[in-house]
Amino acid sequence: MKLITYLLITASFILSIAGCENDEACLSNQNAVQASLLSAWWEEDNDTTLTEVSVTGLNMEDSIYRNQTISGLFLPLNYHTDTTSFVISVKTLKDTIHFIYEKELDFISGECGYIFSFDLDTVIHSKAFIDSVSVIYPTVQYGETLENIKLYIY
């Protein structure tokens, strides 16, 4: 009888751990615009890296990136509005980038529920160090790792 009780407790423990792993999988790869950084000085696309980069949401205090060296960006979109804006600082230069989009609620699974997907409509930016922006893949979806935009840097 003790063996059966021990096996039931062990099985319950294993199932509870497996249940947590499913919840964690639902929370991974949240929606974000994925941007590559490219040099505007070349005719062909050439990856570039920026140093001392900080990124914050416009009128926000918390940083997404703080004094980092990067060659790409992951910029989370706001679920509550149809626009999201970021201030990107590189050393002493600052640019602002605005994303205008439509959002749609998508069913993922019974465990994960619903999540928003976004369709980028317009990207507007200032020009301190960003030369131009090219939208490559306008749909920002849960769990995808596709490049959405290319940022061409002076």
Side-chain angles (χ1 to χ4, degrees):
M1 187 66 165
K2 289 182 182 182
L3 180 61
I4 293 173
T5 304
Y6 177 76
L7 289 174
L8 287 173
I9 291 171
T10 303
S12 297
F13 178 74
I14 290 171
L15 288 174
S16 68
I17 290 173
C20 291
E21 289 176 357
N22 288 340
D23 290 342
E24 289 174 4
C26 292
L27 297 175
S28 65
N29 294 323
Q30 293 297 319
N31 297 4
V33 171
Q34 298 180 45
S36 62
L37 303 179
L38 303 162
S39 174
W41 299 107
W42 301 96
E43 287 184 26
E44 295 180 13
D45 285 352
N46 250 351
D47 291 341
T48 193
T49 300
L50 296 174
T51 58
E52 298 179 44
V53 177
S54 295
V55 177
T56 58
L58 188 63
N59 300 321
M60 303 295 278
E61 293 180 22
D62 293 335
S63 295
I64 299 168
Y65 297 89
R66 184 176 303 201
N67 287 332
Q68 294 182 2
T69 299
I70 59 167
S71 58
L73 292 169
F74 296 88
L75 303 170
L77 297 177
N78 188 334
Y79 296 99
H80 303 292
T81 65
D82 291 332
T83 63
T84 302
S85 301
F86 299 94
V87 176
I88 304 171
S89 303
V90 178
K91 298 179 183 176
T92 60
L93 300 173
K94 289 185 180 185
D95 263 325
T96 304
I97 189 166
H98 307 274
F99 296 100
I100 302 168
Y101 47 84
E102 293 180 11
K103 58 186 183 279
E104 183 177 320
L105 198 57
D106 294 326
F107 179 73
I108 299 299
S109 71
E111 291 176 350
C112 295
Y114 291 86
I115 194 159
F116 283 103
S117 63
F118 303 90
D119 286 315
L120 297 177
D121 181 48
T122 306
V123 180
I124 302 168
H125 62 90
S126 55
K127 292 189 174 249
F129 61 88
I130 297 175
D131 175 63
S132 59
V133 176
S134 179
V135 177
I136 303 304
Y137 187 71
T139 304
V140 179
Q141 290 185 316
Y142 172 83
E144 288 191 342
T145 57
L146 300 173
E147 173 186 56
N148 300 104
I149 64 171
K150 292 182 180 186
L151 289 176
Y152 290 93
I153 307 300
Y154 289 122

